[in-house]
Amino acid sequence: MTEQSIIKQIGKPAEIDMRKPKAIGSTGFYLKSFKTKNSETESLKIDSKCNFEKRTGGILLRANYSNKLTAIPISNENIIEISLKRGKENIDPFFLSPMWILLKLGVSKLYARYFRFRLHEYSIEQMELNIKTTDYEMDFIANGYLSERQFSFFENLNIGNKLKTEIKAST
């Protein structure tokens, strides 16, 4: 798919406002399920590495599987629902560890988690992304540590109540 045909369907790439910078691209996701409602459309391979790019009229899905690149434009009108679920967090620092001290001092767990000694002190399950459009249904997974950034990226798409977010409870 050429850049001109993508621009016709979903517009140009979003511009970066230097005063209030916002992400115009997502992190890497892995495709776990892909269903198309049109039999003529090319199907993506499972476990493709995928990224989303914000465009003026929608989002562009770029998929890479064994260096075979595929681009799928998704206009805002065709989006039925985007569901983003963050995995369950496990916070269990041991007494007087740097992470425990930082948490007691009121430092955010998003920063304190980088000061752990053992892996069991902080973990987060993978994040899930489900996208339903008029033409496709797709399921993706990604590292749970990246979920906060992805929440802000998908909220900045301005798709209103089509976006559903879920945060599983911490332990």
Side-chain angles (χ1 to χ4, degrees), residues 7-160:
I7 289 173
K8 281 182 188 177
Q9 292 181 21
I10 57 173
K12 294 183 178 182
E15 297 291 325
I16 298 175
D17 180 10
M18 291 304 195
R19 293 184 188 139
K20 290 188 254 177
K22 295 180 180 174
I24 60 169
S26 73
T27 188
F29 287 91
Y30 288 97
L31 182 68
K32 289 301 170 187
S33 168
F34 184 83
K35 296 175 190 162
T36 181
K37 296 175 184 168
N38 185 355
S39 60
E40 298 171 6
T41 308
E42 180 182 354
S43 180
L44 295 179
K45 301 276 188 191
I46 302 300
D47 290 330
S48 294
K49 177 88 169 170
C50 300
N51 297 80
F52 293 95
E53 181 181 327
K54 184 178 178 182
R55 297 284 179 135
T56 55
I59 55 175
L60 179 65
L61 168 64
R62 294 191 187 268
N64 182 357
Y65 186 80
S66 295
N67 288 333
K68 182 177 185 253
L69 303 174
T70 307
I72 297 178
I74 303 170
S75 69
N76 286 338
E77 295 82 35
N78 292 347
I79 296 173
I80 297 170
E81 179 183 76
I82 295 179
S83 173
L84 193 58
K85 297 176 188 167
R86 187 183 80 174
K88 184 179 177 185
E89 255 180 333
N90 182 24
I91 304 168
D92 187 26
F94 63 90
F95 184 68
L96 292 180
S97 73
M99 183 178 170
W100 182 86
I101 293 169
L102 289 172
L103 288 172
K104 291 297 179 187
L105 291 173
V107 174
S108 169
K109 63 185 172 189
L110 299 179
Y111 297 109
R113 67 185 181 187
Y114 294 106
F115 294 94
R116 62 184 184 191
F117 275 143
R118 298 189 180 123
L119 290 177
H120 72 83
E121 288 187 76
Y122 180 88
S123 64
I124 187 168
E125 294 175 359
Q126 66 191 12
M127 169 181 45
E128 298 173 5
L129 172 67
N130 304 318
I131 298 178
K132 292 181 185 172
T133 69
T134 55
D135 300 324
Y136 308 104
E137 286 187 26
M138 301 170 273
D139 296 327
F140 303 89
I141 60 168
N143 189 333
Y145 283 86
L146 306 171
S147 59
E148 285 79 16
R149 295 266 187 221
Q150 295 315 297
F151 282 155
S152 65
F153 170 74
F154 284 102
E155 287 168 357
N156 289 332
L157 292 178
N158 300 323
I159 56 173

